[in-house]
Amino acid sequence: MHAHLDKILINQVEIVERSKQLAKEISEKYAKTDKPLILVALLKGSVPFLAELMKHMSIDIEIDFMDVSSYGTNMESTRDIRILKDLDRSIKEHPIVIVEDIVDTGRTLQAVIKILDNKGAQSIEVVSLLDKPSRREVEVDVAYIGFEIPNEFVVGFGLDFAEKYRELPYIGILHKDFY
Ligand code: PRP
């Protein structure tokens, strides 16, 4: 275990097993679409989860990436997001599953869903490795959730603190001396 952690919350085996189950559910749901499913991953935290999830998909899929950042302070109720990197291609009439590492306030997803809807997606669902429902500020429908977690400072498997710890192959709780 990394020395900066209090404990491992979700280990590597648990992440792989849950990703397999989610990939199976998503593959079954999108087995008969006329246009291929596009997994839209939000950079950067979702990269390891996307990589794990897509390995276990049993249907043809495509992938694309968006990078968004919120601006305004957390205290503002009308926090908006800025697109740092947009999709490479048109998603018009394609079914979309947004891939996230964690849903916290829900504001990022709320804004991204609106953007993808405006781009003419046929349907939009969300898969998130982690969900912290106790932090939610806006209602957002997350169809596929890996693990519901308590309000702890988690890092690893894509999740960072100041860009560190993304490489850890598990989700751990960061010791308070390090944030
Ligand atoms: C994190 C995470 C989600 C978002 C969740 O991204 O990956 O996209 O915050 O928070 P919300 O539900 O309160 O909107 P972050 O902006 O830290 O970028 P990163 O993925 O590059 O670390």
Side-chain angles (χ1 to χ4, degrees), residues 90-106:
S90 165
I91 58 164
K92 210 168 172 47
E93 284 157 32
H94 281 266
I96 302 293
V97 172
I98 300 170
V99 182
E100 261 289 30
D101 52 344
I102 187 164
V103 187
D104 194 20
T105 66

Side-chain angles (χ1 to χ4, degrees), residues 34-157:
D34 43 339
K35 292 206 179 189
L37 173 66
I38 305 177
L39 298 180
V40 172
L42 303 188
L43 295 170
K44 310 172 191 153
S46 65
V47 168
F49 180 47
L50 171 72
E52 190 56 53
L53 190 71
M54 63 189 282
K55 281 192 284 190
H56 306 294
M57 299 290 295
S58 57
I59 56 170
D60 290 343
I61 57 147
E62 298 176 13
I63 62 169
D64 206 343
F65 297 90
M66 270 184 95
D67 194 4
V68 298
S69 82
S70 56
Y71 62 97
T73 68
N74 284 340
M75 305 309 287
E76 290 169 21
S77 58
T78 53
R79 207 153 48 106
D80 212 347
I81 66 164
R82 188 162 33 131
I83 299 176
L84 303 177
K85 185 221 169 287
D86 208 342
L87 298 174
D88 288 344
R89 38 81 53 84
S90 165
I91 58 164
K92 210 168 172 47
E93 284 157 32
H94 281 266
I96 302 293
V97 172
I98 300 170
V99 182
E100 261 289 30
D101 52 344
I102 187 164
V103 187
D104 194 20
T105 66
R107 292 186 184 279
T108 303
L109 271 180
Q110 187 187 50
V112 170
I113 288 169
K114 200 170 153 196
I115 292 168
L116 299 185
D117 194 37
N118 287 337
K119 287 175 182 288
Q122 180 195 98
S123 61
I124 303 170
E125 284 196 311
V126 178
V127 59
S128 183
L129 177 62
L130 304 178
D131 183 21
K132 251 190 199 178
S134 59
R135 294 259 308 160
R136 201 75 90 249
E137 292 174 11
V138 294
E139 205 183 312
V140 55
D141 184 19
V142 185
Y144 312 95
I145 293 168
F147 303 91
E148 198 174 295
I149 61 165
N151 191 16
E152 301 275 8
F153 204 126
V154 288
V155 294
F157 212 79

